[in-house]
Amino acid sequence: MSTLRASTCLLVICPCLMLAQAPSDSLFATDQVIDIQLSFAQPGYEDSLVAYYNEGLERQMLASVVITDLTGSYSYDSVGVRYKGNSSYGLADKKSMKIDFNEYVSGQKYHGVKKLNLNNGFNDPTLLREKLFFDFCQDQGVLAPRAVFGNVLFNGTLVGFYGVVEQVDVEFLDRWVDDTNGNLFKAGDNFGMGGTAAADLAWYGLAQSSYEPRYELKTNEAANDWTDLIELIDAINNTSDAQLQTFLPALMDLQPLLRSLAIDNLFSNLDSYINSARNWYIYHNDTTGLWQWIKWDANEAFGRYSGGQQNLTNLSPYYLANSRPLMTRIMNVPWLRQLYTVEYCTVYDAFDNAQIDPRIDELAALIQPHVFADPNKQYTNTQFTTNITSNITGGGGPGGGQTIYGLKSFINARRQYLTGALDCTTIGIAEQERSGIKAWPNPMEETLWVSLPAGVTTSMLTLRDALGRVVPLSWSGGRADV
């Protein structure tokens, strides 16, 4: 079975293909609350964890850990632990942290993963925002880490209830992209917390040193070659509108990028590229040659981070912050804006209370007893329960007593606003057919044929599997072997 999404500039064909299982699926494929018991032999270990964090060198402390999940218990004598986070670090007795199974024992993994992120749910009374957001992204074919939940103990004492989030690293790329040789960059954290170097994809010249404060290279560190990233940034900033139509589809995995950015707007997730310029990865796929966008850190989705905006349920679908060149091109170049609208309308269709509320209820029921037992949670039990459905007013971090949107109330209010602000009536199969693009047979098994209008070439076409991954194609005229 296949589905068609197209414009005069981009066609996406999505055949249903099965993805092979990976060891990490046994952890993340089922909603669960795992038990993580960390033991430190060093006296004063908490002071040392704080001191290591303040160094800023990502130094880790030796610990042992026993993890119990639905498949059994797993013991590791030597793992690395460190505190992490920016504003989330402000929770005095319940800090976010990272466990590195590979730090002291080379090749050591837990369910096939080398690292786990334990996120404290800062600024989220429900402790569900990140999980719901990432699940929605994955359902829409957008690259994002998976998450479950966990209770964390230090030397037998309960620290609190955490989100347990997949690390974006080589194991992630192997699972979701099936390519691990390219450059993986993470947006740096040097903006908005006293720093001035935003990961904004703006042009700062040809020197690699101009970009090193803004991004972090997470693979191929020995080679340390940023030429490809600088080439991409050059194309985003320094090409004409006409040139961009050729260069951008040849450089970026465009459809999932646009869908990913649309989801940020849909959820008013402004602590991301579209506003704060934080919390994203980009990977240069060595097989396809295309850059792929990856989500990160979504605890402030559902309008939790204001980004200087007043009413986040009424955020324009075409919202544009200052000094975000990629978004500026998307909003101001007509063919890109049209493609963005296509992707926005697609994800908007899945964003309603009828579809998401049952999932919210399911997860809330799973975690409620663990949240109530958390001795160091940021919000009260009543605030947890209320914020599932309704807005509350509460402190916690920047903004003090601002309104904290309820999960269900946000979806309802956001959808009501977008019904009048977003015109999806001309976006769909009928509109695509009028564009002159035809693809057959449907469904397809071995061969795909296309008929294209003037100005559209097969180099602008992309084949995707059910998870949104690009399938390389070799065209002969209007025919491709699939």
Side-chain angles (χ1 to χ4, degrees):
M1 184 172 67
S2 66
T3 57
L4 185 66
R5 178 155 304 279
S7 76
T8 54
C9 299
L10 180 67
L11 170 67
V12 177
I13 310 291
C14 299
C16 292
L17 301 178
M18 295 301 291
L19 186 69
Q21 270 201 322
S24 57
D25 294 350
S26 56
L27 172 63
F28 290 111
T30 304
D31 298 329
Q32 59 175 312
V33 179
I34 68 177
D35 186 73
I36 303 169
Q37 301 202 35
L38 287 160
S39 297
F40 300 90
Q42 179 177 325
Y45 63 89
E46 291 181 271
D47 292 338
S48 295
L49 285 168
V50 171
Y52 290 177
Y53 174 87
N54 290 332
E55 286 178 351
L57 301 176
E58 298 188 354
R59 185 151 59 119
Q60 303 186 54
M61 173 163 290
L62 174 67
S64 62
V65 65
V66 178
I67 306 179
T68 303
D69 58 41
L70 291 176
T71 68
S73 291
Y74 303 84
S75 299
Y76 304 90
D77 291 334
S78 302
V79 299
V81 180
R82 68 175 177 88
Y83 286 150
K84 69 182 189 72
N86 290 311
S87 53
S88 65
Y89 185 76
L91 285 189
D93 299 315
K94 183 187 172 186
K95 298 187 183 300
S96 294
M97 66 193 82
K98 191 185 296 285
I99 299 177
D100 188 339
F101 298 91
N102 194 58
E103 174 69 9
Y104 297 103
V105 181
S106 179
Q108 180 171 262
K109 298 179 182 181
Y110 164 65
H111 288 300
V113 300
K114 292 181 179 178
K115 297 179 182 180
L116 283 179
N117 296 279
L118 308 180
N119 294 343
N120 62 9
F122 178 71
N123 269 3
D124 179 9
T126 71
L127 297 167
L128 288 175
R129 279 171 163 78
E130 187 160 66
K131 167 69 172 172
L132 288 166
F133 181 83
F134 285 158
D135 282 0
F136 186 93
C137 289
Q138 293 151 17
D139 289 344
Q140 297 300 315
V142 166
L143 288 171
R146 294 169 293 176
V148 290
F149 304 99
N151 289 310
V152 178
L153 295 87
F154 280 2
N155 288 1
T157 300
L158 179 63
V159 177
F161 176 79
Y162 284 75
V164 180
V165 179
E166 184 178 17
Q167 177 73 12
V168 176
D169 57 9
V170 170
E171 280 69 36
F172 177 94
L173 297 173
D174 186 51
R175 173 69 177 97
W176 296 109
V177 179
D178 198 25
D179 180 280
T180 60
N181 295 321
N183 280 349
L184 174 68
F185 287 93
K186 181 185 180 184
D189 294 323
N190 300 319
F191 183 70
M193 299 300 294
T196 58
D200 51 13
L201 293 176
W203 178 249
Y204 297 100
L206 290 171
Q208 180 173 312
S209 58
S210 298
Y211 301 93
E212 288 173 343
R214 302 172 184 276
Y215 312 93
E216 300 173 42
L217 180 60
K218 295 295 186 179
T219 58
N220 303 320
E221 294 99 323
N224 195 34
D225 183 357
W226 296 39
T227 305
D228 54 354
L229 179 65
I230 296 171
E231 177 189 41
L232 173 66
I233 294 173
D234 188 14
I236 291 171
N237 289 270
N238 300 326
T239 55
S240 68
D241 290 355
Q243 291 172 321
L244 194 70
Q245 188 162 341
T246 300
F247 289 160
L248 201 58
L251 289 171
M252 300 198 77
D253 199 358
L254 194 56
Q255 180 262 350
L257 163 70
L258 296 172
R259 183 172 292 195
S260 184
L261 296 171
I263 290 174
D264 281 330
N265 182 288
L266 181 65
F267 280 81
S268 297
N269 181 40
L270 294 188
D271 197 16
S272 64
Y273 176 75
I274 68 173
N275 181 283
S276 73
R278 294 190 295 260
N279 301 324
W280 55 273
Y281 285 81
I282 193 168
Y283 177 66
H284 197 188
N285 190 306
D286 191 60
T287 301
T288 66
L290 298 176
W291 288 95
Q292 296 176 275
W293 198 268
I294 305 171
K295 294 292 193 206
W296 186 245
D297 197 354
N299 63 293
E300 305 218 54
F302 293 84
R304 188 62 186 95
Y305 177 87
S306 68
Q309 305 305 300
Q310 296 302 311
N311 185 348
L312 292 183
T313 61
N314 289 2
L315 184 72
S316 167
Y318 302 104
Y319 164 77
L320 178 59
N322 293 328
S323 303
R324 299 293 174 265
L326 178 58
M327 295 304 299
T328 299
R329 300 307 293 269
I330 291 170
M331 296 307 170
N332 293 337
V333 178
W335 68 270
L336 260 179
R337 184 181 174 106
Q338 170 70 4
L339 292 178
Y340 171 83
T341 303
V342 168
E343 298 309 321
Y344 204 118
C345 289
T346 299
V347 296
Y348 167 76
D349 188 56
F351 183 81
D352 67 16
N353 289 99
Q355 297 186 63
I356 301 178
D357 282 6
R359 179 64 173 153
I360 293 174
D361 291 337
E362 181 181 37
L363 290 175
L366 171 69
I367 73 171
Q368 177 177 306
H370 304 280
V371 173
F372 282 15
D374 183 345
N376 296 312
K377 57 181 173 287
Q378 187 178 3
Y379 298 92
T380 67
N381 294 342
T382 299
Q383 287 174 317
F384 164 80
T385 303
T386 302
N387 203 225
I388 297 293
T389 58
S390 307
N391 299 350
I392 64 173
T393 300
Q402 66 188 19
T403 296
I404 304 174
Y405 298 105
L407 301 179
K408 295 180 181 180
S409 57
F410 176 86
I411 295 169
N412 180 62
R414 185 85 177 112
R415 189 168 178 88
Q416 285 186 19
Y417 167 76
L418 288 171
T419 299
L422 186 68
D423 182 9
C424 295
T425 58
T426 61
I427 303 298
I429 295 298
E431 181 70 18
Q432 294 157 12
E433 289 173 349
R434 286 196 294 272
S435 72
I437 295 175
K438 297 180 181 178
W440 72 92
N442 185 10
M444 71 191 76
E445 291 186 2
E446 297 179 355
T447 302
L448 168 67
W449 291 90
V450 295
S451 174
L452 306 175
V456 179
T457 66
T458 54
S459 65
M460 299 176 183
L461 309 185
T462 304
L463 182 72
R464 301 187 173 283
D465 66 17
L467 290 171
R469 300 180 307 168
V470 173
V471 178
L473 288 177
S474 178
W475 291 94
S476 176
R479 176 185 180 278
D481 184 353
V482 299

